Structures are given as structure tokens and as C-alpha cells.
Amino acid sequence: MNPINHVAIIMDGNGRWGLKKKKSRNFGHEKGLLTVEKIIKESLKNKIKYLTLFAFSTENWKRPKYEISFLFSLLEKFLKEKINDLNKNNIKLKIIGKRNFSKRLNKILYISEKKTIENKKLQINLALNYGSKSELVYAFKGLKKKKQRINETNIKKNLETSNIPDPDLLIRTGNTNRLSNFLLWQLAYSEIFFEKKLWPDFNEKDYNKVLKKFKKTKRNFGNI
Ligand code: FPP
């Protein structure tokens, strides 16, 4: 049975879910947040050490302004209301991605990370304004600046995930089979599970099914 240390998730399908319910895309995001809470709880139960969630990509800025503002206000509300709960549950929050948000949001992110920095049970890596290609460009610039040799160890050291083991598995909901510029380096040997359900419909049972399937997968890392 494979141990599970790190699960990465592309939470896709909120917008379609909202429209399917004859409501708005933002309604879907609101419901998607409830799934986030369920999956965090279930990750704790499963003793998973790292959970990386793709909440906003560098490409998501192309969306209508009102949707972008809604997503960030949802995030702000979530952190304000839940950071103490996360802290009590020994959960560490880490943001990955470029932080060029409003002064207020940057401050909330900073405070949330600081508050939970010593926590050990589960680390949530929230990918915000994250894009894997720009992360890699930044890493290579770092290597050049520090005059480090180009090798795998040094590239990893310069990524935002430098202290985080690579994901064992990636789950993408929403019936779309692509990586969307998410953790391209880190997912090199991860098992990938594309799920048909839209993110707001994805539940604990679905999550546990994927984890069970993963545990039984033969991982050979290029060996036979
Ligand atoms: C993708 O669905 C989802 C996002 C771009 C945002 C993810 C946000 C949440 C799950 C809620 C907020 C989370 C936090 C942590 C505050 P989509 O909108 O691309 O769906 P679509 O493919 O149906 O358009």
C-alpha cells in the first residue's frame, strides 16, 4: 500500500456547477468553498501531511472583474472566519504564488501564515496567483543570481515548494483532463486522477475512493 503524504488538487467546475443550478458562477464558487472545508477535514482524518489547492491561477486574471473580486472576497472571509479553527487543528497555511494583491489581502495572508507557522499536523499550500511556468522562470533567475549550478537539487531549492515533498497524487475535478500550468515540475511522478464530478459535488466519499485507488497503484518511478 502506498503511503500518502501529499495530495494536490485542481478544484475545477465551480462556475459550471453554479450555472447548472440556474444561478451564477459565483454561487458555484461559494459552494466550492464548502467542499474545500470537507476535504481539509477528510485530509486530517487520513493523516495527510500536505494538501495543495489551486485556488487562483496566473491565467485566472482574464476572468470578469466581478468574478475575480468575488473570489478574493471569499478567500478573505474564509481566512478571517476560519484561521483560528485551522490553527486549533494544528494546520499550517502556506501561500504559493506571486503576492501582488491588495495591501489588505497581502496583510491577511501574511498574518494567517504567521499565526500557523509552527503547526505540524497538516500543511495547506494555497496556490494563489500561481503559475508553474513563471515559478520555473523565477527559479532559474534565482540560480543565475546566486551563481548556482543548474541541477535538479538546485532547481528544486529555488521553487516555491522547496521544502515540500512532491505530490503523491493530483486530483482534478470537473471532467477536464489537463494540468493548467499547475506544479509542472513537482508532478513529474505523481499519479493523476481526473474526476468527472464538478468541485462543489465532490465529497468525502469521492475523495476516499481516490485515496483508496491511489494506495493500490503500483508506483515504479521508471523502474519495472
Ligand atoms: C475553478 O472552477 C475554480 C477556481 C478558479 C477557484 C477555486 C475556488 C474555490 C474552490 C473557492 C474559494 C477557495 C478558497 C480557498 C477561498 P472554474 O470556475 O474554472 O469552473 P468552470 O470550469 O466550471 O468554469
Side-chain angles (χ1 to χ4, degrees):
M1 289 265 244
N2 300 313
I4 309 178
N5 202 28
H6 185 172
V7 178
I9 308 184
I10 302 178
M11 312 179 284
D12 194 19
N14 289 347
R16 275 170 286 160
W17 190 90
L19 298 178
K20 217 174 90 184
K21 298 283 167 192
K22 307 247 178 305
K23 298 247 167 88
S24 63
R25 291 181 51 84
N26 285 348
F27 181 67
H29 291 310
E30 220 172 334
K31 292 292 168 195
L33 187 54
L34 300 180
T35 307
V36 171
E37 291 178 26
K38 286 182 200 164
I39 296 307
I40 293 175
K41 277 197 194 126
E42 212 52 32
S43 299
L44 282 172
K45 275 196 202 157
N46 278 283
K47 299 194 166 51
I48 286 160
K49 285 283 168 206
Y50 300 89
L51 176 67
T52 302
L53 301 173
F54 204 5
F56 195 86
S57 75
T58 44
E59 289 75 28
N60 287 151
W61 294 109
K62 295 177 196 156
R63 295 188 176 204
K65 235 180 167 174
Y66 64 85
E67 183 168 335
I68 297 173
S69 320
F70 186 83
L71 277 168
F72 286 116
S73 62
L74 210 55
L75 170 67
E76 222 178 288
K77 191 166 159 265
F78 173 73
L79 291 177
K80 276 188 189 151
E81 285 174 6
K82 303 287 176 185
I83 197 66
N84 287 334
D85 273 0
L86 297 182
N87 196 27
K88 266 190 224 141
N89 280 297
N90 204 2
I91 296 173
K92 174 175 173 175
L93 180 76
K94 181 181 163 63
I95 307 299
I96 59 169
K98 208 165 174 216
R99 290 168 208 229
N100 52 356
F101 310 112
S102 67
K103 241 186 182 171
R104 200 181 61 207
L105 181 57
N106 281 339
K107 193 171 165 199
I108 294 170
L109 296 175
Y110 173 77
I111 292 170
S112 305
E113 281 187 309
K114 200 168 164 217
K115 192 168 215 163
T116 60
I117 198 160
E118 298 295 341
N119 293 342
K120 298 269 181 294
K121 196 158 182 198
L122 167 69
Q123 176 168 328
I124 298 175
N125 306 305
L126 198 58
L128 283 178
N129 192 19
Y130 173 85
S132 191
K133 287 188 177 179
S134 65
E135 179 191 28
L136 283 164
V137 170
Y138 192 77
F140 282 109
K141 283 185 177 164
L143 286 178
K144 200 173 160 192
K145 205 168 150 193
K146 293 178 242 168
K147 295 195 168 59
Q148 289 173 335
R149 288 173 59 168
I150 296 178
N151 57 37
E152 288 190 18
T153 310
N154 285 341
I155 292 171
K156 180 167 170 71
K157 271 190 201 156
N158 283 276
L159 294 174
E160 297 212 43
T161 53
S162 56
N163 296 315
I164 303 167
D166 289 341
D168 297 297
L169 65 149
L170 168 76
I171 302 170
R172 179 176 187 142
T173 59
N175 201 18
T176 308
N177 303 354
R178 57 174 169 255
L179 294 179
S180 299
N181 200 13
F182 188 47
L183 303 174
L184 300 178
W185 175 277
Q186 297 87 335
L187 292 173
Y189 266 105
S190 310
E191 302 296 326
I192 301 182
F193 296 84
F194 292 112
E195 295 295 304
K196 285 203 165 61
K197 277 194 178 178
L198 304 174
W199 179 248
D201 285 331
F202 192 71
N203 59 33
E204 295 90 337
K205 209 169 151 200
D206 302 315
Y207 188 42
N208 279 309
K209 245 194 223 167
V210 175
L211 298 181
K212 199 169 161 194
K213 233 193 270 172
F214 167 81
K215 282 183 192 161
K216 288 187 186 155
T217 306
K218 189 173 180 285
R219 302 185 82 193
N220 54 18
F221 298 96
N223 206 332
I224 49 170

